[in-house]
Amino acid sequence: MSERLSISTLDIDVRRSERRKTIALAVERDGSVTATVPLALPLVEVERQLRARELWLHSALARRASLAPAAPTKQYVSGEGFLYLGRAYRLRVLGPPAGNQQLPELRLFQGRFHLRGDCAPRGRECFVRWYSDRAQTWLAERLPRLQRRVGVEAKRLAVMDLGYRWASCSEHGRLNFHWRAILLPPELVEYLVLHELSHLIEHNHTPRFWSLVSRADRDYEHKERWLRENGARFSL
């Protein structure tokens, strides 16, 4: 069971567990905050206790943010660099097409991103759409192999804007991935999939969950640390 509370400027996911006797707070790798609480604890009491720990939460989030300063805002001009699967590609903004030639608004062609000149004012929108389409295809192609490593099957896979989160899963078997995940190196994208597939078995970050992740990816600790320290660079 999952609920949500807003404490000051913080949105907190509340997850109930039969095994919890007290509230456990965690700042996740994506900067989101999770409170795992006793199954029968009234939500009003959960909120009271979380408000009493608001200063700790802000301090923990500030420490997390200091590890990974945000990437500078992209400019949609020729020469700007854009990431895709861990590699940087320069952008070329094209002039008007010759004759009746029809060009896509954005494509990766001959080692460069080509953006139609008339699309430059909405360049971010074009890149988000391109990344989303590529992520959907790339993830869907690899999902069957990664599912076999965990021993579970997802009901559905979707790509969207998840804010600060790289990925999420629902209790009904749906996996959601942020479109910017496709900017990461392939081994990190695959790790995100393995992480979320493991959540289909164990929804919270319990020792059992990390044991499942470890069986699927023995190098998971290094990848978690890398995402904490470098993940903010992978955006637009």
Side-chain angles (χ1 to χ4, degrees):
M1 180 179 180
S2 181
E3 299 160 285
R4 197 166 181 83
L5 284 173
S6 292
I7 307 295
S8 184
T9 59
L10 302 176
D11 290 327
I12 301 173
D13 286 324
V14 179
R15 296 172 180 172
R16 296 188 179 272
S17 169
E18 293 179 351
R19 294 186 293 273
R20 290 299 313 174
K21 297 188 182 302
T22 59
I23 293 177
L25 282 171
V27 178
E28 309 293 359
R29 68 182 187 277
D30 54 17
S32 62
V33 179
T34 299
T36 305
V37 308
L39 189 64
L41 190 65
L43 192 60
V44 65
E45 177 61 18
V46 174
E47 182 173 1
R48 187 192 70 78
Q49 293 192 35
L50 292 181
R51 289 191 181 280
R53 299 170 71 176
E54 186 177 344
L55 180 59
W56 179 91
L57 281 168
H58 282 289
S59 298
L61 286 166
R63 288 194 300 272
R64 171 62 54 84
S66 70
L67 290 174
T73 303
K74 293 291 186 182
Q75 301 295 316
Y76 298 90
V77 296
S78 292
E80 179 69 278
F82 290 85
L83 290 163
Y84 174 57
L85 287 172
R87 291 185 56 189
Y89 298 88
R90 294 294 180 187
L91 174 64
R92 180 184 175 191
V93 179
L94 304 176
N100 294 322
Q101 185 181 14
Q102 295 294 319
L103 295 175
E105 60 182 18
L106 177 68
R107 64 174 174 165
L108 186 56
F109 180 67
Q110 296 181 340
R112 284 180 177 265
F113 278 111
H114 286 192
L115 178 66
R116 266 195 353 236
D118 63 303
C119 298
R122 50 187 176 87
R124 188 179 189 279
E125 176 187 330
C126 295
F127 267 90
V128 169
R129 184 158 44 244
W130 190 91
Y131 284 137
S132 299
D133 291 344
R134 294 308 179 279
Q136 186 73 44
T137 300
W138 196 93
L139 290 164
E141 288 174 350
R142 286 154 182 81
L143 185 61
R145 171 173 56 84
L146 298 173
Q147 286 180 148
R148 288 194 293 272
R149 285 172 62 175
V150 180
V152 69
E153 288 190 13
K155 294 291 196 309
R156 184 183 173 193
L157 184 152
V159 175
M160 60 187 67
D161 192 325
L162 291 173
Y164 290 108
R165 296 188 175 196
W166 285 112
S168 67
C169 74
S170 76
E171 296 176 354
H172 303 293
R174 169 172 164 161
L175 303 186
N176 303 312
F177 295 90
H178 200 302
W179 57 261
R180 68 187 182 99
I182 202 66
L183 278 66
L184 295 166
E187 64 272 18
L188 272 300
V189 188
E190 290 196 352
Y191 169 68
L192 293 175
V193 179
L194 293 170
H195 185 109
E196 297 307 324
L197 286 170
S198 298
H199 272 312
L200 295 180
I201 301 172
E202 181 69 26
H203 200 67
N204 297 312
H205 289 97
T206 62
R208 178 171 179 253
F209 167 78
W210 291 114
S211 178
L212 292 167
V213 174
S214 179
R215 286 201 291 270
D217 188 338
R218 294 182 180 179
D219 196 33
Y220 83 92
E221 290 179 309
H222 169 75
K223 290 169 182 172
E224 281 285 331
R225 184 167 60 253
W226 193 96
L227 285 167
R228 286 196 302 270
E229 295 174 355
N230 300 281
R233 296 191 291 109
F234 291 79
S235 189
L236 292 179

